[in-house]
Amino acid sequence: MRTSIATVSLSGSLTEKLTAAARAGFDGVEIFENDLLASPLTPEEIRTRCADLGLGIDLYQPMRDIEAVPEDEFARNLRRARHKFELMRRLGTDTVLVCSSVSPLAADDDALAAGQLSRLADLAQDFGIRVAYEALAWGRHVSTYDHAWRIVETAGHPALGTCLDSFHILSRGSDPKDLEGIADIPGEKIFFLQLADAPLLAMDVLQWSRHYRCFPGQGDFDVAGLVRQVLRTGYDGPLSLEVFNDVFRQAEAGPTAVDAQRSLRVLEETVGLTTPPAPVVPTGVAFAELLTPDAEPVAALLGALGFARTARHRSKPVDLWQQGEARLLVNTGPAARRDGTGLAAIGLESPDPAGAARRAEAMLAPVLPRRRAPRDAPLDAVAAPDGTELFFCATDHPELPSWRADFENTDHRPAATDVTRIDHLALTQPWHHFDEAALFHRSVLGLHAQESVDVADPYGLFRSRAVTNADGSVRIALAVGPAPAEDEVRAQHIALATADVVAAARRFRAAGGRLLPVPANYYDDLAARHDLPADELATYRDLGILYDRDAHGVFRHCYTHTVGRVFFELAQRDGGYRGYGAQNAPVRLAAQHTAR
């Protein structure tokens, strides 16, 4: 099906919005009236610009407060409509959106509404234009799709149809059975379909709509279920995105448009319209790569954690540090960050690296060019929204090339075996790409996104959302700070799994490592919340170990000091604990601010 996006969903001038939509692969746009009014281009120039970009103008919107009004008011509305229809003819578009009235002059009279909409459609037909009538969720008298359809059906005009908008329908908490009525609307009378998702929020629906919409798959609505009902009608018009979002309005238009197009590709796959390459879910973390201008403090920290430098890349300044199945690459190449050590790449174990790359490309993940020597393993890599490079690896597959073959062994071996593997990775997202990151990791990697949580920071709130595979062998916690400036300073971290966090913490400290000190007040509260033995509590206090429980088990964890932008966590999961210690995050964040 054709894909379209409303210009209100993107930032910038109208020209910038059109260019971004075309480059992202959209077939058409809805031109929002404010964007046209603010543009220096004439309607004819906009029409030509869209044609040059390969974009159709699928809809002009909106016309407001048209129907069920006193006759003198309706006469003024028809005069206004005539001007808009003339403008639309110059633009080269044939469908206009009319929203259900919110005017205090509007009467609760369906017959009057149908009669006036029919007269509006008469005028529109003279210009070769169709009128798509949409129920606003906060409409004065018409606020549901079925009510809007009854009025259209009563009017019985060939140039009058309905527009279905997923936000206006689903924000009212529609039961799935309520959506079944959509399938009873003739497909040819659904003139347009607008799509938006949203998080579930307890707030005024108008404010919810204006500020918190997001692309399908980024919120909590069953947009796919609604689309399935629409497709049952035989509707063959565009799938169009109309998203009002404060973050999108401030973010760069190009990446936002790509994110939007990705959301529609996932939606089309979900409802069975397309069959892109299937996701290849990663089965583990092959490595995490640190990029650093100074290897010495990183080496000291890893050595204290029990890692050993077991191999070195044949042709690049990259060392492999290993302990158990936890592998860390330390890269001191020319691309090293000026602001210190950072987590630059993640190697993901994949049963089918080539298939994972095909899926990533189909879902518009940026494929990264890679310089490699003739003998280097041919690894495919894509960029996540935060810039982290994701490599698809087969470390021990007997028939596939392994990245490990690029490294030559040293004589060093780990002196300790406290760490077994990488438990999870925490990545700070650019403030305007948080929702995109969750959709990216779901759609490209096939990971499951857990619920978003808000965590208190000394300087505000930050959001966190984990994505994981089924058995928890891949866990990535995505976080975004309370303000854009926080992106540049907030640390990333690598959590290392251990079977005995107390022994691991003691060995780390004995080796000269510095653990993050935790305030004594935390342990006073811990004693009040959990009936822990006094000696156990004293050990936690001494080592800075934090404690949490969920319905499945217990979590004990502690943190190292920060090097550059990276710190490590020693994590012990017992009894199937599934979380990440979110209860303790405010204490950890405050302790890190104090240490900084």
Side-chain angles (χ1 to χ4, degrees):
M1 298 182 74
R2 284 175 54 82
T3 60
S4 185
I5 187 169
T7 55
V8 74
S9 306
L10 302 171
S11 68
S13 67
L14 180 57
T15 299
E16 291 170 330
K17 296 179 184 202
L18 297 176
T19 301
R23 287 179 176 172
F26 283 94
D27 302 302
V29 291
E30 306 174 32
I31 291 189
F32 201 68
E33 185 171 61
N34 288 356
D35 286 318
L36 182 137
L37 297 180
S39 175
L41 301 180
T42 67
E44 290 81 6
E45 289 171 330
I46 293 171
R47 177 178 184 170
T48 300
R49 177 64 175 160
C50 286
D52 290 344
L53 291 169
L55 292 172
I57 302 177
D58 294 324
L59 185 75
Y60 184 75
Q61 66 135 320
M63 291 184 65
R64 302 183 184 275
D65 299 332
I66 294 292
E67 82 286 8
V69 294
E71 184 59 30
D72 59 342
E73 182 69 17
F74 184 67
R76 285 190 287 271
N77 289 345
L78 283 181
R79 176 183 174 277
R80 173 162 54 99
R82 178 179 294 277
H83 280 275
K84 297 304 178 185
F85 295 158
E86 290 173 349
L87 182 149
M88 289 175 61
R89 186 156 59 183
R90 295 170 64 194
L91 273 176
T93 185
D94 65 357
T95 306
V96 65
L97 178 71
V98 173
C99 303
S100 63
S101 180
V102 298
S103 170
L105 298 176
D108 187 7
D109 186 334
D110 286 4
L112 178 61
Q116 291 184 345
L117 286 173
S118 180
R119 291 163 63 189
L120 178 70
D122 276 337
L123 178 61
Q125 194 171 43
D126 292 341
F127 288 85
I129 288 171
R130 306 184 308 166
V131 175
Y133 182 55
E134 171 188 71
L136 294 177
W138 54 89
R140 183 171 177 83
H141 301 298
V142 179
S143 58
T144 62
Y145 80 88
D146 50 341
H147 192 176
W149 164 240
R150 288 197 301 272
I151 291 173
V152 169
E153 192 174 29
T154 298
H157 197 289
L160 178 66
T162 191
C163 171
L164 299 178
D165 183 304
S166 66
F167 180 87
H168 292 303
I169 296 171
L170 299 174
S171 64
R172 299 182 61 84
S174 299
D175 185 279
K177 292 183 178 178
D178 296 336
L179 301 181
E180 294 176 1
I182 291 175
D184 296 328
I185 303 174
E188 65 273 12
K189 296 301 286 183
I190 301 176
F191 284 1
F192 212 72
L193 174 62
Q194 293 178 317
L195 301 174
D197 206 337
L200 294 179
L201 299 172
M203 67 184 307
D204 173 74
V205 69
L206 176 58
Q207 296 303 310
W208 189 13
S209 172
R210 292 281 172 83
H211 301 283
Y212 295 101
R213 294 194 194 194
C214 53
F215 297 130
Q218 296 179 346
D220 299 311
F221 288 171
D222 183 15
V223 179
L226 182 145
V227 171
R228 288 190 184 98
Q229 294 295 336
V230 174
L231 294 177
R232 288 178 58 192
T233 70
Y235 172 78
D236 60 0
L239 299 178
S240 190
L241 298 171
E242 186 199 41
V243 175
F244 299 85
N245 185 292
D246 293 343
V247 172
F248 295 171
R249 289 189 182 105
Q250 299 174 67
E252 187 179 348
T256 302
V258 171
D259 183 30
Q261 180 65 229
R262 181 184 297 121
S263 76
L264 285 183
R265 293 194 180 193
V266 175
L267 179 64
E268 288 177 315
E269 177 186 30
T270 302
V271 301
L273 287 173
T274 61
T275 54
V280 180
V281 182
T283 56
V285 177
F287 61 81
E289 181 176 356
L290 302 176
L291 197 59
T292 181
D294 184 1
E296 185 174 342
V298 178
L301 178 57
L302 294 181
L305 284 166
F307 284 82
R309 188 171 68 88
T310 59
R312 185 170 179 80
H313 199 280
R314 285 194 308 266
S315 59
K316 300 174 183 176
V318 181
D319 291 330
L320 168 61
W321 291 74
Q322 187 166 353
Q323 183 178 184
E325 293 301 311
R327 306 179 191 92
L328 301 171
L329 304 183
V330 179
N331 187 338
T332 55
R337 298 180 61 97
R338 294 182 179 179
D339 58 349
T341 302
L343 178 58
I346 301 170
L348 296 170
E349 296 285 4
S350 176
D352 180 8
R358 287 193 295 271
R359 170 69 180 189
E361 193 167 3
M363 289 296 136
L364 303 178
V367 177
L368 297 174
R370 182 167 175 261
R371 292 186 303 170
R372 58 188 180 91
R375 295 171 57 196
D376 286 355
L379 295 180
D380 291 302
V382 297
D386 66 344
T388 302
E389 297 181 2
L390 302 176
F391 288 87
F392 302 118
C393 304
T395 302
D396 297 316
H397 197 288
E399 299 176 2
L400 296 173
S402 171
W403 64 275
R404 185 65 179 79
D406 293 347
F407 289 78
E408 296 175 343
N409 291 335
T410 69
D411 294 331
H412 304 294
R413 291 293 176 266
T417 56
D418 291 316
V419 170
T420 56
R421 62 182 182 86
I422 291 176
D423 181 87
H424 66 273
L425 301 125
L427 304 176
T428 300
Q429 303 303 302
W431 66 277
H432 52 292
H433 287 311
F434 181 75
D435 289 328
E436 176 189 358
L439 179 62
F440 176 94
H441 286 83
R442 284 178 47 235
S443 62
V444 174
L445 304 179
L447 299 176
H448 171 71
Q450 299 178 351
E451 290 187 7
S452 178
V453 297
D454 292 333
V455 177
D457 178 272
Y459 299 98
L461 289 176
F462 78 85
R463 297 168 65 195
S464 180
R465 189 173 196 180
V467 290
T468 179
N469 64 358
D471 65 3
S473 58
V474 176
R475 295 186 178 101
I476 301 174
L478 309 169
V480 63
E486 288 290 306
D487 292 348
E488 301 302 320
V489 298
R490 185 171 299 282
Q492 307 158 313
H493 85 263
I494 301 171
L496 304 170
T498 178
D500 188 342
V501 71
V502 171
R506 283 176 172 159
R507 190 173 284 113
F508 173 70
R509 193 167 65 177
R514 289 189 292 122
L515 291 165
L516 182 70
V518 175
N521 292 334
Y522 169 81
Y523 296 101
D524 292 339
D525 179 68
L526 185 61
R529 289 187 293 114
H530 300 291
D531 187 17
L532 297 174
D535 58 343
E536 183 178 349
L537 197 63
T539 298
Y540 296 164
R541 187 191 301 261
D542 175 51
L543 296 170
I545 292 175
L546 305 170
Y547 180 95
D548 191 29
R549 289 180 185 171
D550 65 10
H552 308 281
V554 173
F555 191 54
R556 300 172 179 87
H557 55 135
C558 60
Y559 298 91
T560 72
H561 69 288
T562 301
V563 174
R565 296 183 66 217
V566 176
F567 63 94
F568 290 87
E569 175 183 5
L570 293 168
Q572 178 183 344
R573 296 176 183 268
D574 291 319
Y577 177 91
R578 297 180 183 177
Y580 300 84
Q583 172 92 12
N584 300 321
V587 175
R588 187 260 297 174
L589 288 163
Q592 287 178 323
H593 278 291
T594 300
R596 191 181 304 155

